[in-house]
Amino acid sequence: EGASQYYESFDASYPDDMLAARAVEIIQEQNLKTHQGLHLTTSALFQQTMPTITAWNKAEFLSVDMETSAVFSAARYFNMQAVSLLFVWDELLNGRTWLDCFSPEETEKHKAANRVIFETALTLS
């Protein structure tokens, strides 16, 4: 990810603990499963190899995206709170990428999860 370097130099960024805890509560109240843990931000879309993905898995990263680190870096720079709410649908170790289509049932679950995530973000603001 290339934006964080312009705000400050560090190897890891973290969400606001209180926002993250409240987000989990709100989401779980809607009977959706949540996971909290390590997340990786990279700017290398489609450049990850299977050995890289396997290494990320062994390092216990739960998800990967292209934006979270930049948002956290900018928030920290401006002394703001931040949290990241992600719907993860790909399973790279199983050969499923975000380009793969959902079944009708998965599409409905995705829509419902997105609604809950959006409403959670509004509640937190």
Side-chain angles (χ1 to χ4, degrees), residues 15 18 32-33 38 54 67 80 87 94 98 104 111 116 118:
M18 291 188 340
L32 287 178
K33 188 188 309 185
L38 295 175
T54 300
E67 300 86 18
M80 298 172 69
F87 175 86
N94 294 327
W98 62 275
K111 287 179 185 177
V116 170
F118 185 76

Side-chain angles (χ1 to χ4, degrees), residues 14-40:
Y14 301 92
D16 178 84
D17 289 335
M18 291 188 340
L19 281 178
R22 183 65 183 126
V24 167
E25 287 176 15
I26 294 167
I27 292 169
Q28 288 180 346
E29 287 170 0
Q30 299 298 314
N31 296 317
L32 287 178
K33 188 188 309 185
T34 62
H35 300 278
Q36 288 182 279
L38 295 175
H39 171 81
L40 180 77

Side-chain angles (χ1 to χ4, degrees), residues 1-2 41-49 52 56 64-66:
E1 180 274 310
T41 299
T42 180
S43 57
L45 183 63
F46 297 127
Q47 293 300 313
Q48 64 272 10
T49 63
T52 299
W56 291 343
V64 178
D65 81 348
M66 297 178 69

Side-chain angles (χ1 to χ4, degrees), residues 18-108:
M18 291 188 340
L19 281 178
R22 183 65 183 126
V24 167
E25 287 176 15
I26 294 167
I27 292 169
Q28 288 180 346
E29 287 170 0
Q30 299 298 314
N31 296 317
L32 287 178
K33 188 188 309 185
T34 62
H35 300 278
Q36 288 182 279
L38 295 175
H39 171 81
L40 180 77
T41 299
T42 180
S43 57
L45 183 63
F46 297 127
Q47 293 300 313
Q48 64 272 10
T49 63
M50 191 50 72
T52 299
I53 294 166
T54 300
W56 291 343
N57 181 260
K58 285 182 181 176
E60 299 183 355
F61 288 106
L62 299 178
S63 56
V64 178
D65 81 348
M66 297 178 69
E67 300 86 18
T68 296
S69 177
V71 170
F72 285 178
S73 295
R76 191 155 120 184
Y77 182 83
F78 290 106
N79 198 31
M80 298 172 69
Q81 297 173 308
V83 67
S84 181
L85 308 175
L86 303 172
F87 175 86
V88 179
W89 68 89
D90 49 357
E91 299 173 274
L92 299 177
L93 291 174
N94 294 327
R96 180 179 176 154
T97 74
W98 62 275
L99 295 173
D100 293 328
C101 294
F102 285 136
S103 69
E105 180 183 350
E106 290 170 324
T107 298
E108 290 307 311

